[in-house]
Amino acid sequence: AMLANSFSRSLQMEISGTDLHRSYDGSSGTSRIFCPCESIMNEGMENLTKLLTKLENYQTRQYLAVITREDILSVTVFSRDQLAERLGICLTLMKKIFRNVGLRYWPYRKLNGLRNKMLKVQTEVDSGVGRRMYGKKESIERQVQKMRALELQYKRMLWELEQSC
């Protein structure tokens, strides 16, 4: 419990210090908040490339011994099927790898749900939803708070996965 509380505080400090802020262009009157989804997806693609490079000298039957927990957790932006297809292995071997590294389930659906919520918040800001009800500044501030909470939840879920086993 103590470790989880310190993690939560450090993540909140990390997120509040990131570029998760609104930017306002006075000339065009548009506002945007930073959505981390694109950087999450880009990082996942980079990690997949690294994993494929690591595996190119091994036969698929050796993947079970070679792929580590860190390798698997770095590519959670893909569904099980997508990951198995990109690695060129069957889904059964993919599941064996998950169990071998200590994962009971593949967290893609939960994490993808959070990414979709972040994209929805970004879309709401871009389209101006809530401006009439709360006013422009208050609406954007609410959306920034939502985005921070979602990113914190996303990072916490990844941290819990890393700590489990």
Side-chain angles (χ1 to χ4, degrees), residues 107-123:
Y108 170 78
R109 288 181 64 186
K110 287 183 180 182
L111 295 172
N112 194 48
L114 289 172
R115 285 191 299 269
N116 286 336
K117 287 179 184 179
M118 288 180 208
L119 288 172
K120 182 180 177 195
V121 169
Q122 179 65 51
T123 304

Side-chain angles (χ1 to χ4, degrees), residues 4 15 17 19 32 37-38 41 45-46 51 54-55 58-59 72 77 82 86 98 104 106 114 125 128-129 132 149:
I15 289 174
D19 289 336
R32 284 194 57 86
C37 293
E38 189 173 335
M41 293 303 292
M45 289 298 290
E46 289 172 16
L51 180 58
K54 175 181 176 178
L55 296 174
Y58 296 96
Q59 296 177 350
I72 289 295
V77 298
Q82 290 171 333
R86 289 176 188 243
F98 296 157
R104 292 180 293 155
W106 187 237
L114 289 172
V125 169
V129 172
R132 284 185 231 131

Side-chain angles (χ1 to χ4, degrees), residues 139-154:
S139 173
I140 294 171
E141 291 302 324
R142 286 174 185 259
Q143 302 298 7
V144 168
Q145 289 172 356
K146 277 187 196 177
M147 189 69 80
R148 282 187 179 142
L150 288 169
E151 188 176 13
L152 177 64
Q153 190 176 355
Y154 187 90

Side-chain angles (χ1 to χ4, degrees), residues 10 14 18 32 35-36 38 44-45 47 52 57 60 65 67 73-74 79-80 86 104 106-107 113 130 133 138 141 149:
S10 68
E14 177 183 325
T18 63
R32 284 194 57 86
C35 181
E38 189 173 335
M45 289 298 290
N47 290 334
L52 288 170
N57 296 326
T60 54
I67 296 177
L73 289 176
S74 70
S79 69
R80 284 185 317 198
R86 289 176 188 243
R104 292 180 293 155
W106 187 237
M133 185 183 297
E138 291 79 13
E141 291 302 324

